[in-house]
Amino acid sequence: MQFTVLGPVGMATEDGQAVPLSGRLRTGLLALLLARANDHVPVEVLLDALWNGQREPTRRRPLQLHIHWIRKALDSPDRLRHARDGYQLAVQPGELDAERFESLLDESIREGNHDPGRTADRLRCALRLWRGRPYQDVDLPELEPAAQRLIERKATATELLYEAELRGGRHAAVLPELLDAVAEYPLRERLRASLMIALYRAGRQADALTAYQDARRRLTTELGLDPGPELQDLQLQILAGEPVDLGRDVARVSARPAQLPRDVTSFVGRAAELTALDHTAAAGELSPGLVTVTGTAGVGKTALVVHWAHHNRTRFPDGQLYVDLHGYGPEPPLRAEEALVRMLRALGVAESELPDGLAERTDLFRTVASGKRMLLVLDNAHSVEQVRPLLPGTSCLVVVTSRNVLAGLAARDGGLRIALDRLRDDEAHSLLKELLGEYDRIRPEASTELIDRCARLPLALRIATERVRLHPHRDTADLMAELADEQTRLDLLDTGDPATSVRAVLSWSYHHLDPGAARLFRLLGLTCMQCRYPRHDFDGYSAAALLGDDDTRESRRLLDSLVRTNLCEETASGRFQLHELLRAYSTELTADPEELDAARLRLCEYLLANATRALAVLAPGEIAEPPEITATPQVPVSADRDAARRWLDRERQNVLCVAHHIIVHGHWPDARGVATALYRHFTGDSGEHLLSGEPEVSHPR
């Protein structure tokens, strides 16, 4: 189909047969959908625009009727889809006149001065698409920003057209057109400059100077300004009889970048995060906006942002910039100076005009971006220092993704921070179903196990399901058994591509840690003791015990560092855990068995000693002869029964693990009685079956 907005709003069939539109509301609805073609338009936006802010429930029914009529008029009803309480009109490349116009203009800007004749032809094709004012006869304030932006781009196209014609030597031929263009845009100094050059080259020096005086008079009268330096210099050159030329390069005109990576397939869930991005974009129409999306490796930060950006391109009519800052990866982080060069080039700044210093490049970027409504995606950031020089000062929206929480950015520069968690169970099941499709041979209980083994991380789920698809005749029970083994799980989630292998992406976070935090991370895999209770959490005291450090302040500082880089999760106040894949990666990092045994012994001693003290408060006499174990550090478990009970409740699973470990492996023979008493206290079971080899009894947690 064909859609028009560069004049009266309308649509026509492929063979040019116009589709009649009747009524203000129906035409306005089509205009609103075309202004954000291919993007999601919330119902609230449509109701506000069409009924002047009146959102009564009774308005939804007429809106649905108009939507139904437009669907019937389209060549395919599927073009107009309903999703997330809004509508999206699918428009193919070349179908919308405004999109064709802007594509031709952007091609001309990118080509620069290489072929003036070809540039002029392309710009004339672009300008012939205009049949009046944008969104003509549709009186909706919501469309005014889009209309004004198109009018501004038309003026830019007109300027570039006559500059290309002058570079092609056609000054005499375009003089009549230039006079008309100056009459239409009397305050555009670049058009005035082109007119002066055309007159001067045609041997009409006096007329060229008169054109300057006319420009000066209009600018002074209407704006209270003198002509700019370029126009003044041109007047002096003409007065001196010197050769004149255009002072600006076409390439210096800002291009409209479209740099978003390919949208992810089978995107599911994340409704709250998508809505938060919607609200931030809507609130920042006239002011700068900043969003940071943080989360652990493989959680889908880039997928979320790119998916949202693709569905909201028309919110950013001046373009979308995308820069991978390589904060976590095989390459060193991209320096801010290099990122600025990439962005400035994308915006049409010539190589010769790029300044050398960081501050100068930042200033130029903010100048070029001034007044534009662009989206800037800064992906995979490493630090605040890397990001801050890249922030524009105007109405652009900046979305930053990082494994680091970038607390300094939020504290000083404000904006919204979205902490992206792992998928919920229902979202993970939906993703699994989407990815497997016809290959879905996994039983429901096995699906749950697969999701748990992949820690509800989208990246891991995608790799695991691809393994199922690659081996359609293999029993999926074998895959489940292999994933159950922590020692081989990361091998199975390896694609051979460092960018998409779970072990590789986790390693990039680990290798950015300072030595103290890296050592703690290597030891944290021991908190599960490889027992039957897999979902452990721990606190700063357990971390200090692993490190062999009396000072819990240091262990908490290191834990905070791991949380900031999303290599550890804080589950409650002062409690932490590693998800399945982080724990698997942690346990394979330390090759020194002596270091592991010593750390495991310290953790067991810490838990056993403090559990013994707590049990002595709660059940005096339960332990006849407490073993002599010196633990570092010691929790201040006093004679307060409530404090002792709270500590045992918090550490229940961990203490059970230690008791299980002692009973089975026989460490500290004199402590076996204590372990048995603790086991009985928590479970009501003597634990003797653990020694005899009898099957374990499942106890409620």
Side-chain angles (χ1 to χ4, degrees):
M1 295 197 71
Q2 298 298 315
F3 301 94
T4 56
V5 297
L6 300 180
V9 174
M11 57 180 173
T13 60
E14 191 63 35
D15 59 4
Q17 184 70 34
V19 177
L21 285 171
S22 60
R24 178 186 65 85
L25 290 174
R26 193 167 292 168
T27 307
L29 174 59
L30 179 61
L32 291 165
L33 293 170
L34 288 173
R36 293 176 58 176
N38 299 309
D39 289 346
H40 170 260
V41 186
V43 166
E44 288 78 6
V45 171
L46 298 174
L47 293 175
D48 279 346
L50 296 174
W51 281 279
N52 198 24
Q54 300 175 13
R55 295 191 192 175
E56 291 92 340
T58 55
R59 304 294 188 193
R60 285 186 172 249
R61 178 60 179 166
L63 175 63
Q64 291 168 354
L65 290 174
H66 291 306
I67 289 286
H68 178 69
W69 186 93
I70 291 176
R71 273 205 185 106
K72 287 182 63 178
L74 295 168
D75 55 358
S76 170
D78 292 340
R79 276 184 180 265
L80 185 50
R81 297 189 295 271
H82 179 269
R84 289 168 46 211
D85 199 28
Y87 294 94
Q88 179 180 340
L89 177 60
V91 177
Q92 302 302 319
E95 291 185 332
L96 178 61
D97 58 354
E99 182 267 333
R100 294 202 304 276
F101 163 74
E102 296 205 81
S103 294
L104 289 167
L105 175 56
D106 290 337
E107 288 173 17
S108 301
I109 292 172
R110 284 193 293 270
E111 185 173 276
N113 299 325
H114 299 303
D115 189 341
R118 182 178 176 184
T119 298
D121 289 342
R122 186 184 290 117
L123 289 167
R124 287 189 182 277
C125 287
L127 290 168
R128 278 197 293 271
L129 294 168
W130 285 73
R131 299 169 298 105
R133 192 183 189 280
Y135 304 99
Q136 192 168 300
D137 302 329
V138 179
D139 185 18
L140 294 177
E142 288 77 7
L143 293 172
E144 191 58 27
Q148 288 298 331
R149 192 189 64 81
L150 286 168
I151 290 170
E152 174 63 25
R153 297 219 84 197
K154 181 188 179 187
T156 298
T158 304
E159 291 173 339
L160 295 180
L161 167 63
Y162 294 113
E163 289 176 2
E165 296 284 30
L166 292 179
R167 287 191 170 92
R170 301 186 69 245
H171 46 272
V174 298
L175 254 177
E177 296 178 20
L178 259 173
L179 289 167
D180 290 340
V182 167
E184 184 179 359
Y185 302 106
L187 301 179
R188 307 287 293 204
E189 293 191 42
R190 292 185 67 184
L191 277 174
R192 293 278 185 174
S194 293
L195 176 60
M196 291 170 62
I197 291 172
L199 289 167
Y200 183 60
R201 288 180 179 175
R204 298 167 60 179
Q205 182 180 21
D207 289 337
L209 294 172
T210 300
Y212 173 80
Q213 293 301 330
D214 182 58
R216 185 174 182 276
R217 186 166 49 253
R218 291 294 295 266
L219 289 167
T220 303
T221 302
E222 298 188 27
L223 302 179
L225 298 173
D226 287 328
E230 184 180 354
L231 216 55
Q232 292 184 32
D233 290 345
L234 184 57
Q235 182 215 19
L236 294 176
Q237 288 175 294
I238 292 173
L239 282 170
E242 298 175 355
V244 296
D245 206 344
L246 294 164
R248 294 178 65 175
D249 193 318
V250 173
R252 183 62 180 84
V253 180
S254 294
R256 186 182 61 159
Q259 297 183 333
L260 293 176
R262 182 183 176 86
D263 194 5
V264 66
T265 57
S266 304
F267 186 91
V268 301
R270 308 301 198 189
E273 290 82 2
L274 292 169
T275 300
L277 286 164
D278 283 342
H279 289 166
T280 304
E285 293 283 342
L286 300 176
S287 60
L290 175 62
V291 181
T292 55
V293 180
T294 64
T296 191
V299 79
K301 301 178 292 295
T302 302
L304 168 72
V305 172
V306 170
H307 179 74
W308 177 85
H310 272 287
H311 286 77
N312 288 270
R313 291 191 306 274
T314 55
R315 287 180 183 264
F316 309 99
D318 293 311
Q320 309 92 41
L321 288 165
Y322 173 89
V323 183
D324 184 352
L325 295 175
H326 301 300
Y328 296 88
E331 303 176 40
L334 189 69
R335 295 185 303 120
E337 296 95 320
E338 299 172 62
L340 283 166
V341 167
R342 294 186 184 184
M343 293 191 295
L344 288 167
R345 284 174 179 160
L347 291 171
V349 177
E351 192 77 26
S352 59
E353 296 183 10
L354 292 171
D356 293 329
L358 173 61
E360 291 79 6
R361 288 178 181 176
T362 298
D363 290 343
L364 178 57
F365 172 63
R366 289 173 180 166
T367 298
V368 173
S370 178
K372 298 185 184 303
R373 182 61 178 161
M374 289 193 303
L375 173 65
L376 172 55
V377 177
L378 300 175
D379 194 19
N380 197 15
H382 177 255
S383 65
V384 173
E385 293 73 24
Q386 187 187 30
V387 170
R388 189 167 282 141
L390 311 181
L391 300 180
T394 57
S395 55
C396 299
L397 174 64
V398 181
V399 184
V400 184
T401 75
S402 180
R403 301 183 193 183
N404 192 315
V405 298
L406 303 179
L409 195 65
R412 175 174 152 181
D413 300 278
L416 171 71
R417 185 170 75 86
I418 296 175
L420 194 62
D421 201 355
R422 292 174 287 148
L423 292 172
R424 300 193 313 265
D425 284 334
D426 61 324
E427 293 175 332
H429 279 283
S430 295
L431 179 59
L432 205 60
K433 187 174 181 180
E434 284 274 339
L435 292 171
L436 286 173
E438 62 182 288
Y439 297 90
D440 191 359
R441 313 183 321 278
I442 301 180
R443 303 182 310 277
E445 60 273 17
S447 296
T448 299
E449 182 182 353
L450 175 61
I451 288 167
D452 286 342
R453 297 304 182 198
C454 292
R456 291 180 282 117
L457 286 177
L459 174 62
L461 284 168
R462 288 177 182 276
I463 296 171
T465 52
E466 185 60 23
R467 183 173 286 272
V468 174
R469 291 165 63 92
L470 284 173
H471 304 283
H473 304 297
R474 187 181 177 191
D475 188 350
T476 54
D478 294 339
L479 175 62
M480 298 299 109
E482 292 172 334
L483 285 171
D485 185 352
E486 276 195 357
Q487 295 182 339
T488 62
R489 188 177 306 163
L490 295 180
D491 293 334
L492 292 172
L493 298 177
D494 191 327
T495 65
D497 175 11
T500 56
S501 295
V502 171
R503 180 186 284 110
V505 299
L506 293 178
S507 73
W508 300 334
S509 294
Y510 169 74
H511 289 304
H512 280 88
L513 295 173
D514 65 61
R519 177 173 178 252
L520 177 58
F521 179 75
R522 291 195 301 270
L523 298 176
L524 285 178
L526 298 175
T527 54
C528 73
M529 305 294 292
Q530 295 184 342
C531 72
R532 64 186 177 128
Y533 299 102
R535 300 196 180 198
H536 287 255
D537 63 1
F538 50 89
D539 60 9
Y541 289 98
S542 295
L546 284 170
L547 294 170
D549 193 345
D550 289 329
D551 186 3
T552 58
R553 291 176 301 177
E554 176 64 8
S555 66
R556 286 172 179 166
R557 183 188 72 80
L558 296 176
L559 282 171
D560 286 343
S561 175
L562 294 178
V563 170
R564 283 197 303 273
T565 54
N566 283 286
L567 280 170
C568 183
E569 299 173 346
E570 188 166 9
T571 60
S573 179
R575 306 293 297 181
F576 307 87
Q577 73 174 12
L578 302 182
H579 65 61
E580 292 255 1
L581 297 178
L582 280 174
R583 191 171 69 238
Y585 180 60
S586 169
T587 57
E588 75 175 27
L589 284 174
T590 303
D592 184 353
E594 292 185 4
E595 181 184 16
L596 287 173
D597 288 342
R600 184 182 289 111
L601 180 62
R602 289 193 298 268
L603 180 62
C604 286
E605 286 184 335
Y606 155 71
L607 289 167
L608 185 62
N610 287 287
T612 301
R613 295 171 63 208
L615 195 59
V617 173
L618 293 175
E622 182 78 20
I623 303 174
E625 297 182 7
E628 294 186 6
I629 299 175
T630 302
T632 301
Q634 288 194 3
V635 178
V637 177
S638 64
D640 185 336
R641 292 177 60 84
D642 288 339
R645 185 176 291 107
R646 285 196 299 272
W647 188 88
L648 281 173
D649 286 343
R650 287 195 303 270
E651 300 292 348
R652 180 178 185 275
Q653 289 188 352
N654 297 319
V655 171
L656 274 172
C657 276
V658 172
H660 177 281
H661 191 77
I662 292 171
I663 293 172
V664 172
H665 297 289
H667 292 314
W668 313 300
D670 58 337
R672 185 170 291 173
V674 177
T676 304
L678 288 168
Y679 204 92
R680 183 168 56 249
H681 174 79
F682 280 117
T683 68
D685 187 346
S686 68
E688 293 302 321
H689 60 280
L690 299 176
L691 290 173
S692 65
E694 297 174 8
E696 293 187 32
V697 180
S698 297
H699 300 287
R701 295 186 181 181

